[in-house]
Amino acid sequence: MDKVALTAAGLYVIVLLRAGGTFAVGWLAGAGARRGRLARRISSARFQRAERAIQRWGAPVVAVSFLTVGFQTAANFLAGSMRMPLSRYLPALFVGGAGWALVYATVGIGALEMLGRLFAERTALGVAAVAVLLLAVCGVVVYRRRSAASAPRDAATEDS
């Protein structure tokens, strides 16, 4: 078995367990909310309409969510908490998870092979590339933290 297929198979198992587990946690959270303090809000007609819409039309959203970053956990949790039927959820999970595994396996292995060749053939260039990548990531993190820290102050001064 070639390395892309083996990696994709491993990633597929991981995503099925992770996303399926997130769905199950959402299902349990929804069941708890239906018996807790939120029961009155959850029984409203508006919430019931939203729940029916997600149960009926949420499967494509779940499948496509695997091609996004940061949204798939929310989509799987919401599908569980809104009690999407397994007959709709599982096909979306299998299709979306397969797409996710294939994308990450091919892109991931390609990037690792490229870095491996770069380090083997031109070590100094490889080290420089990793250093530039790390600096870029650090720069983005610092920029986002500063933006987030200054955003509430800016909003407060605009209200004055």
Side-chain angles (χ1 to χ4, degrees):
M1 185 176 245
D2 77 327
K3 57 186 161 192
V4 173
L6 187 60
T7 303
L11 289 172
Y12 190 56
V13 169
I14 289 168
V15 78
L16 292 180
L17 293 173
R18 181 182 169 275
T22 304
F23 176 85
V25 169
W27 189 280
L28 294 172
R34 284 172 176 73
R35 286 185 285 235
R37 288 185 269 168
L38 296 175
R40 186 176 303 137
R41 286 187 183 171
I42 291 174
S43 62
S44 73
R46 186 179 206 179
F47 187 87
Q48 295 295 325
R49 281 192 307 274
E51 188 174 50
R52 282 192 303 275
I54 288 172
Q55 288 173 351
R56 184 169 183 189
W57 303 106
V61 173
V62 169
V64 171
S65 76
F66 286 96
L67 301 177
T68 67
V69 175
F71 179 65
Q72 66 178 268
T73 301
N76 283 284
F77 184 85
L78 185 62
S81 66
M82 293 291 193
R83 300 200 167 207
M84 182 184 294
L86 286 175
S87 61
R88 291 183 189 267
Y89 175 74
L90 289 176
L93 172 64
F94 294 144
V95 170
W100 179 88
L102 288 173
V103 166
Y104 275 82
T106 55
V107 171
I109 286 185
L112 287 176
E113 285 178 348
M114 182 183 72
L115 280 174
R117 267 188 264 124
L118 185 63
F119 274 100
E121 296 170 8
R122 297 198 171 121
T123 306
L125 187 59
V127 170
V130 170
V132 167
L133 181 64
L134 287 174
L135 285 172
V137 169
C138 289
V140 168
V141 168
V142 168
Y143 175 77
R144 284 186 150 188
R145 285 189 179 178
R146 286 186 180 169
S147 296
S150 67
R153 269 188 263 124
D154 292 344
T157 57
E158 287 176 10
D159 293 337
S160 309

